[in-house]
């Protein structure tokens, strides 16, 4: 469908040199995707590729004044700045002219499924502040997720909270990506996927992405990869550094033929006059004289093809299509599951990443206690390097666990360890003058339990539970004390080991020729159960051997608690994944779970059988008829699958080393392999609900406290309690996620979080200082509007599930 250019986009068209009468415009946005430390370390990548890439980009920009080259994030720009001081003036000049373009303010191109919302928001802030500190004034409105393996469905809420209104993504569920499947492209897009919806139903690569909180952003999808235009002036297969098969071919005929191909791909999927052809696979160098090549095409071919070709930024493209939003579909998109193995690959690495952010937030909060207030600024400075490292760990090949052993062991883990050690020194210092006591529940009473013929029966105020040594120590019966109806319908809390020919990105069930086959279960053998009466609960321990590896299961019961705490310790055998299985008997058409930025409702299955979904903190299932339900809560990100018969599997451990078809042929697009060398403690908790949804049962509040479970350190629980008392809200559904000194401007920055958009304004009270003025900001700490302050209490109408507030104390 042809579109007449609108007056609203005429000024930008003229700035880019696009004729007013051009009805079809092909925009080449040029970049290069630089992973900080994927197959090589950051220093190796910089010396082998990035330094030369940026030298060439800077030179190209100087030679062609109309040229625009984009940098995805600030990590390697920071390295270039440090390693090449002689280039600083020209880099600053090009950034401030908008010719060296930032497609995000982030330190990295982050994964958005595994890190916490706060970690992702800090990523955007830290990169923006580094730019500002070095005299670079760009403040992108675009956040580009070039290569992330799916994105949180509440990405619009996260982005709006950080002041972005535009985004672009590449990898969505069901799409074909060259080199990642030994299947014909004709088998894609997968049925029922986001890719099918965009390609076959909406027939649009541009859409308005609206999440269930009402937040929305303008979005573009790179259906033909983020390096679609890489071979514009080359013959061959690829310019990617891993498999470079390309020779320069710059003839007018060749370039015109390439452009004709790109237009044939993109034109049927464009609802506006504009088409985007991204240039920029991994570590590709800039195309020499790009603007001149496109000028030659326009002179020789525009009059015949009606297609005008131009080099511009991705943000320019989105600005050009913005006036056409009424022509674009509005979608609640969940671009998952793209791949699912990375949700739980390298669990000990993920734990280090999450613990670092948790400790940093704790240190910041503790600095605002009266005993420490004189050290707020110095403490903030001491945490800067650790925060930068925490942001780097958000990267989609870092926290995902998709780098090879060498990079993980020689760079990623040492970086995290050094950062964590530095933060612990700060916390110890801040805690040294505090009066700390871990308050225990004095109402605790010993549980009633008995052992008979290998069966352990336990009763508390809510449940009666039976475990059986002949079933490997699993639960064989669990009922509510209020009703005789079983809450579980079969052997549960069982350990199941699968032969898994998947690897760091995918499970064996996700690709043709992959292997995902149950090999053994703990319930197939007899295991002795130990019962220990503790000061504040009853601990049950059993041990099992699966495929040559020993696992210890622990369960913790309290008389006055309806939550059952569980823990599995061990390491999966190489080439295996281990799940914890429950027979719930719950029949539900939807899965309700949290995700960074809010809540999401998902179907039990999509594309894969079983479908493993990313489990952030909790999931709640509710039977469609009886309305009884089950909440599963975890302190760390994980993966969960649900079968129509009510069977649930939680991934406890993975040690799948390399994706191989039929267990033999490696998949070229996913070459990294990795071995899990450490034992891991996988913690989860169960809560059975008799009626009501997750909100009515306060699952989101209980999930926040899971890290304070029975195996946590009492001192840490006490410190977190003190930290959470500094600033509070009048709503339990809105909590204070962070308190920090302002990085930009004056005062104290507060982050408020909620699972869904609150209906009423929230009152915020600071208990350690008096607030005289307050402002609503975005997460990059740019003031948006003043807030009402009365008697030191701030009234906030939440703009979304995340709000940033600047407090100015008296």
């Amino acid at each position: 469908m042809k579109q007449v250019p609108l007056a609203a986009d005429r000024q930008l068209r003229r700035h880019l040199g696009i004729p007013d009468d051009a009805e079809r415009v092909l925009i080449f946005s040029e970049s290069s995707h630089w992973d900080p430390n994927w197959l090589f370390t950051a220093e190796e990548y910089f010396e082998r590729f990035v330094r030369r890439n940026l030298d060439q980009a800077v030179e190209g920009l100087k030679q062609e004044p109309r040229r625009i080259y984009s940098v995805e994030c600030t990590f390697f720009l920071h390295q270039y700045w440090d390693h090449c001081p002689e280039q600083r003036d020209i880099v600053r000049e090009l950034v401030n002219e908008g010719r060296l373009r930032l497609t995000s303010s982030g330190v990295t191109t982050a994964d958005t499924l595994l890190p916490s919302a706060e970690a992702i928001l800090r990523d955007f802030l830290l990169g923006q502040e580094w730019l500002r500190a070095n005299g670079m004034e760009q403040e992108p409105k675009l956040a580009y997720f070039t290569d992330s393996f799916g994105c949180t469905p509440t990405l619009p809420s996260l982005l709006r909270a950080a002041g972005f209104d535009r985004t672009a993504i590449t990898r969505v569920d069901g799409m074909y990506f060259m080199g990642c499947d030994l299947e014909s492209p004709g088998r894609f897009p997968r049925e029922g996927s986001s890719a099918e919806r965009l390609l076959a139903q909406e027939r649009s690569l541009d859409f308005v992405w609206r999440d269930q909180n009402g937040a929305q952003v303008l979005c573009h999808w790179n259906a033909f990869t983020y390096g679609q235009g890489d071979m514009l002036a080359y013959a061959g297969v690829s310019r990617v550094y891993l498999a470079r098969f390309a020779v320069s071919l710059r003839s007018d005929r060749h370039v015109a033929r390439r452009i004709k191909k790109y237009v044939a791909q993109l034109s049927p999927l464009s609802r506006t006059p504009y088409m985007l052809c991204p240039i920029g696979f991994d570590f590709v160098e800039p195309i020499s004289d790009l603007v001149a090549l496109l000028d030659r095409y326009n002179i020789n071919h525009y009059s015949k093809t009606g297609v005008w070709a131009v080099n511009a930024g991705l943000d320019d493209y989105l600005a050009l299509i913005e006036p056409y939003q009424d022509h674009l579909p509005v979608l609640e998109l969940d671009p998952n599951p793209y791949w699912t193995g990375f949700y739980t690959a390298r669990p000990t690495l993920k734990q280090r990443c999450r613990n670092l952010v948790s400790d940093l937030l704790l240190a910041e909060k503790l600095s605002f206690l009266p005993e420490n207030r004189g050290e707020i600024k110095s403490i903030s400075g001491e945490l800067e390097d650790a925060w930068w490292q925490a942001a780097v760990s958000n990267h989609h090949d870092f926290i995902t666990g998709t780098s090879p052993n060498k990079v993980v062991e020689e760079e990623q883990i040492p970086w995290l360890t050094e950062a964590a050690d530095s933060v612990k020194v700060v916390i110890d210092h801040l805690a040294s003058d505090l009066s700390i006591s871990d308050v225990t529940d004095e109402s605790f009473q010993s549980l009633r339990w008995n052992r008979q013929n290998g069966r352990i029966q336990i009763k508390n105020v809510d449940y009666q539970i039976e475990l059986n040594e002949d079933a490997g120590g699993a639960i064989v019966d669990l009922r509510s004390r209020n009703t005789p109806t079983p809450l579980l319908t079969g052997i549960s809390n069982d350990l199941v080991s699968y032969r898994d020919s998947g690897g760091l990105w995918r499970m064996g069930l996700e690709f043709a020729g992959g292997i995902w086959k149950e090999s053994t279960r703990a319930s197939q053998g007899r295991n002795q159960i130990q019962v220990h009466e503790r000061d504040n609960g009853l601990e049950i321990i059993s041990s099992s051997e699966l495929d040559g590896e020993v696992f210890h299961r622990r369960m913790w019961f309290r008389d006055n608690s309806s939550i059952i705490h569980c823990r599995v310790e061990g390491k999966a055998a190489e080439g295996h994944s281990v799940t914890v299985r429950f027979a719930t008997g719950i029949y539900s058409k939807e899965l309700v779970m949290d995700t960074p930025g809010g809540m999401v409702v998902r179907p039990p299955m999509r594309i894969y059988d079983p479908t493993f979904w990313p489990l952030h903190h909790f999931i709640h299932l509710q039977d469609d008829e009886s309305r009884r339900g089950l909440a599963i809560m975890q302190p760390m990100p994980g993966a969960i699958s649900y079968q129509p018969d009510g069977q649930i599997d939680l991934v406890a451990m993975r040690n799948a080393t390399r994706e191989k078809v039929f267990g033999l042929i490696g998949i070229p697009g996913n070459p990294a392999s990795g071995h899990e060398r450490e034992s891991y403690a996988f913690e989860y908790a169960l809560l059975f609900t008799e009626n009501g949804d997750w909100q009515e049962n306060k699952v989101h509040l209980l999930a926040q406290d899971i890290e304070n479970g029975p195996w946590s350190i009492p001192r840490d629980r006490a410190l977190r309690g003190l930290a959470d008392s500094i600033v509070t809200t009048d709503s339990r559904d809105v909590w204070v996620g962070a308190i920090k000194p302002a990085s930009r401007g004056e005062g104290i920055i507060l982050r408020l979080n909620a699972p869904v958009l609150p209906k009423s304004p929230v009152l915020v009270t600071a208990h350690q200082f008096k607030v005289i003025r307050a402002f609503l900001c975005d997460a990059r700490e740019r003031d948006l509007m003043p807030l009402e302050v009365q008697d030191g209490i701030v009234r906030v109408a939440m703009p979304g599930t995340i709000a940033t507030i600047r407090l100015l104390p008296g």
Side-chain angles (χ1 to χ4, degrees):
M1 178 177 64
K2 290 185 177 181
Q3 293 284 350
V4 177
L6 300 177
D9 59 351
R10 192 165 295 153
Q11 183 176 355
L12 180 54
R13 287 170 68 100
R14 290 175 177 171
H15 174 73
L16 295 173
I18 303 170
D20 286 348
D21 62 353
E23 294 185 355
R24 291 195 299 171
V25 180
L26 180 62
I27 293 174
F28 287 93
S29 63
E30 188 182 31
S31 184
S32 183
H33 180 58
W34 299 329
D35 294 310
N37 45 13
W38 176 33
L39 299 182
F40 301 110
T41 65
E43 193 65 28
E44 288 172 331
Y45 270 133
F46 181 79
E47 292 300 337
R48 292 188 185 198
F49 305 106
V50 175
R51 185 198 294 266
R52 183 170 66 252
N53 282 176
L54 268 173
D55 282 344
Q56 291 174 337
V58 168
E59 188 61 30
L61 292 170
K62 289 193 294 186
Q63 291 177 2
E64 296 185 306
R66 289 185 288 122
R67 186 166 184 165
I68 293 171
Y69 187 85
S70 296
V71 176
E72 294 174 357
C73 54
T74 60
F75 178 85
F76 275 121
L77 193 60
H78 187 309
Q79 279 207 330
Y80 191 73
W81 188 269
D82 289 345
H83 284 70
C84 308
E86 71 282 359
Q87 292 285 75
R88 290 179 183 176
D89 288 343
I90 185 63
V91 166
R92 184 188 297 111
E93 179 182 334
L94 290 170
V95 168
N96 287 339
E97 288 177 354
R99 296 181 54 226
L100 188 60
R101 196 75 57 87
L102 275 297
T103 58
S104 170
S105 70
V107 176
T108 68
T109 49
D111 174 77
T112 60
L113 293 167
L114 303 176
S116 66
E118 184 62 31
I120 297 166
L121 296 177
R122 289 297 178 98
D123 202 329
F124 292 133
L125 171 67
L126 292 171
Q128 187 71 74
E129 286 304 291
W130 180 82
L131 291 169
R132 285 198 331 114
N134 290 286
M136 289 173 273
E137 300 168 358
Q138 265 192 60
E139 297 190 359
K141 299 179 69 177
L142 161 70
Y144 182 23
F145 296 90
T146 325
D147 195 31
S148 299
F149 316 133
C151 293
T152 175
T154 53
L155 188 63
S157 287
L158 282 175
L159 294 183
R160 296 309 298 241
F164 299 99
D165 60 11
R166 299 163 192 174
T167 190
I169 58 178
T170 300
R171 297 183 185 264
V172 305
D173 58 298
M175 75 173 290
Y176 174 75
F177 201 102
M178 184 177 64
C180 295
D181 289 276
L182 302 184
E183 290 184 74
S184 164
R187 295 177 61 86
F188 297 83
R190 304 296 197 193
E191 184 179 354
S193 67
S194 298
E196 183 191 50
R197 182 173 184 184
L198 289 165
L199 290 173
Q201 298 172 22
E202 304 294 347
R203 298 190 63 76
S204 178
L205 304 184
D206 304 307
F207 59 97
V208 176
W209 188 349
R210 178 183 295 165
D211 66 23
Q212 71 172 46
N213 303 312
Q216 65 182 45
V217 292
L218 183 61
C219 185
H220 175 78
W221 171 44
N222 295 321
F224 305 101
T225 76
Y226 54 88
Q228 180 184 6
D230 278 14
M231 301 299 289
L232 173 71
Y234 293 82
V237 178
S238 168
R239 291 199 291 139
V240 178
Y241 72 109
L242 293 174
R244 186 181 174 91
F245 301 104
V247 294
S248 178
L249 183 55
R250 305 168 57 80
S251 69
D252 178 57
R253 180 180 178 184
H254 174 78
V255 171
R257 190 164 55 239
R258 289 288 191 198
I259 289 177
K260 181 179 180 181
K261 174 187 173 183
Y262 303 146
V263 171
Q265 291 175 315
L266 296 167
S267 183
L269 301 169
S270 174
R271 298 193 183 191
T272 76
Y274 307 103
M275 299 165 282
L276 179 74
C277 186
I279 298 170
F281 260 138
D282 300 24
F283 299 97
V284 298
E285 72 278 12
I287 296 176
S288 179
D289 301 321
L290 175 62
V291 171
L293 291 177
L294 301 179
D295 285 347
R296 184 183 68 187
Y297 171 85
N298 291 330
I299 292 169
N300 294 340
H301 301 279
Y302 170 60
S303 61
K304 293 175 287 186
T305 65
V307 174
W308 187 268
V310 66
N311 165 230
L314 173 56
D315 51 349
D316 291 326
Y317 171 79
L318 290 166
L320 286 167
I321 68 169
E322 188 173 28
Y324 299 85
Q325 288 193 62
D326 289 346
H327 298 272
L328 302 180
V330 179
L331 306 178
E332 283 193 14
L333 191 75
D334 185 0
N336 306 289
Y338 179 68
W339 293 332
T340 70
F342 76 90
Y343 301 157
T344 48
R346 297 196 187 277
T348 54
L349 179 74
K350 288 175 168 57
Q351 190 173 50
R352 285 183 170 94
C353 295
R354 291 293 292 265
N355 287 348
L356 174 58
V357 173
S358 179
D359 286 349
L360 280 162
L361 293 172
L362 176 62
E364 285 180 338
K365 288 182 178 181
L366 291 176
S367 70
F368 286 93
L369 288 170
E371 296 88 343
N372 298 318
R373 198 173 300 155
E375 301 184 70
I376 291 174
K377 288 188 177 180
S378 64
I379 292 302
S380 179
E382 290 178 46
L383 299 177
E384 280 184 3
D385 289 345
W387 262 120
W388 184 272
Q389 186 50 64
V392 173
S393 75
N394 290 336
H395 183 256
H396 63 265
D397 278 311
F398 195 140
I399 193 172
T400 55
T402 49
S403 296
N405 291 336
K406 177 181 182 294
V407 174
V408 171
E409 294 167 3
E410 293 183 9
E411 186 164 87
Q412 292 179 351
I413 289 178
W415 280 359
L416 292 169
T417 300
E418 181 180 1
D421 289 346
S422 69
V423 179
K424 289 188 186 301
V425 169
V426 172
I427 291 174
D428 288 343
H429 172 69
L430 293 171
S432 59
D433 293 331
L434 302 178
S435 177
I436 303 171
S437 61
D438 187 47
V439 179
T440 57
D441 188 348
E442 296 180 357
S443 65
F444 167 74
Q445 297 179 1
S446 295
L447 278 73
R448 288 179 291 166
W449 69 276
N450 65 77
R451 180 196 297 268
Q452 187 174 9
N453 298 325
R455 293 176 177 265
I456 311 297
Q457 294 179 327
I458 306 160
K459 293 183 180 180
N460 73 357
V461 69
D462 292 298
Y463 308 126
Q464 54 185 28
I465 305 114
E466 183 176 310
L467 298 90
N468 193 335
E469 292 181 339
D470 288 334
I475 300 172
V476 294
D477 190 63
L478 194 155
R479 301 169 188 264
S480 168
R481 295 289 296 270
N482 300 326
T483 173
T485 304
L487 298 176
L488 295 170
T489 57
I491 293 175
S492 294
N493 204 38
D494 196 6
L495 292 182
V496 184
S497 180
Y498 288 88
R499 172 77 177 93
D500 185 357
S501 69
L504 303 176
W505 287 269
R506 291 185 287 189
M507 295 177 165
L509 60 91
E510 296 179 56
F511 52 91
I515 300 169
W516 175 259
K517 184 178 181 181
E518 182 178 320
S519 62
T520 186
R521 285 174 286 167
S523 59
Q524 291 173 335
R526 191 178 194 280
N527 296 300
Q528 186 176 1
I529 298 174
Q530 303 175 44
V531 182
H532 299 280
E533 292 184 337
R534 307 298 189 190
D535 292 339
N536 59 346
L538 191 71
E539 186 177 30
I540 310 295
I541 304 174
S542 63
S543 300
S544 306
E545 183 175 312
L546 302 175
D547 297 308
E549 295 286 348
V550 176
F551 296 84
H552 304 288
R553 270 174 298 172
R554 300 174 184 267
M555 301 182 70
W556 190 284
F557 303 94
R558 298 192 65 185
D559 181 65
N560 60 349
S561 175
S562 55
I563 297 177
I564 302 172
H565 290 273
C566 306
R567 178 178 171 120
V568 178
E569 300 163 351
K571 176 172 68 72
E574 188 169 307
H576 289 76
S577 291
V578 175
T579 70
V580 182
R581 178 176 293 172
F582 293 90
T584 70
I586 293 175
Y587 303 99
S588 178
K589 295 184 179 67
E590 58 185 32
L591 314 178
V592 183
M593 58 185 77
D594 75 322
T595 182
M599 298 293 297
V600 60
V601 178
R602 287 173 161 143
M605 290 189 186
R606 181 185 289 172
I607 303 176
Y608 311 124
D609 184 9
T611 299
F612 281 93
W613 291 104
L615 178 56
H616 195 56
H617 285 115
F618 71 87
I619 183 172
H620 186 248
L621 309 173
Q622 193 169 23
D623 191 89
D624 294 333
E625 293 187 5
S626 70
R627 310 309 294 163
R628 71 180 183 89
L630 170 63
I632 298 177
M633 299 166 280
Q634 295 181 185
M636 293 291 297
I640 186 169
S641 72
Y642 169 86
Q643 296 284 1
D645 63 359
Q647 176 181 297
I648 284 176
D649 279 88
L650 302 172
V651 178
M653 316 279 174
R654 288 196 77 231
N655 196 3
T657 57
R658 172 77 194 274
E659 293 174 20
K660 292 184 178 180
V661 175
F662 307 120
L664 300 171
I665 305 171
I667 294 177
N670 298 339
S673 62
H675 304 76
E676 191 61 32
R677 308 191 194 281
E678 301 176 70
S679 290
Y680 175 65
F682 169 66
E683 293 189 23
Y684 52 105
L686 311 176
L687 173 70
F688 293 90
T689 59
E690 295 186 2
N691 217 332
D693 62 14
W694 61 275
Q695 283 182 291
E696 292 166 310
N697 285 282
K698 304 189 184 306
V699 175
H700 57 302
L701 302 178
L702 297 170
Q704 288 182 53
D705 200 44
I706 287 299
E707 64 178 330
N708 293 323
W711 298 285
S712 61
I713 300 171
R715 174 181 177 270
D716 291 348
R717 292 197 296 265
L719 287 175
R720 284 192 287 265
L722 278 174
D724 291 341
S725 69
I726 296 168
V727 180
T728 60
T729 75
D730 68 332
S731 170
R732 294 189 66 196
D733 290 334
V734 181
W735 61 90
V736 179
I739 310 171
K740 64 179 290 292
S743 300
R744 182 174 188 158
E746 299 178 335
I748 297 165
I749 296 295
L750 203 69
R751 193 99 63 229
L752 302 182
N753 299 82
V756 295
L757 182 64
K759 296 178 180 178
S760 304
V762 178
L763 300 181
V764 177
T765 304
H767 300 280
Q768 304 296 345
F769 48 85
K770 184 176 180 180
V771 178
I772 57 172
R773 285 191 297 157
F775 295 86
L776 183 68
C777 309
D778 62 28
R780 287 185 277 173
E781 301 184 9
R782 302 176 296 184
D783 290 349
L784 302 175
M785 60 180 292
L787 295 172
E788 177 186 339
V789 180
Q790 190 169 22
D791 297 328
I793 298 174
V794 183
R795 188 175 186 270
V796 185
M798 294 280 287
T801 55
I802 300 168
T804 303
I805 300 171
R806 185 188 307 277
L807 305 178
L808 296 175

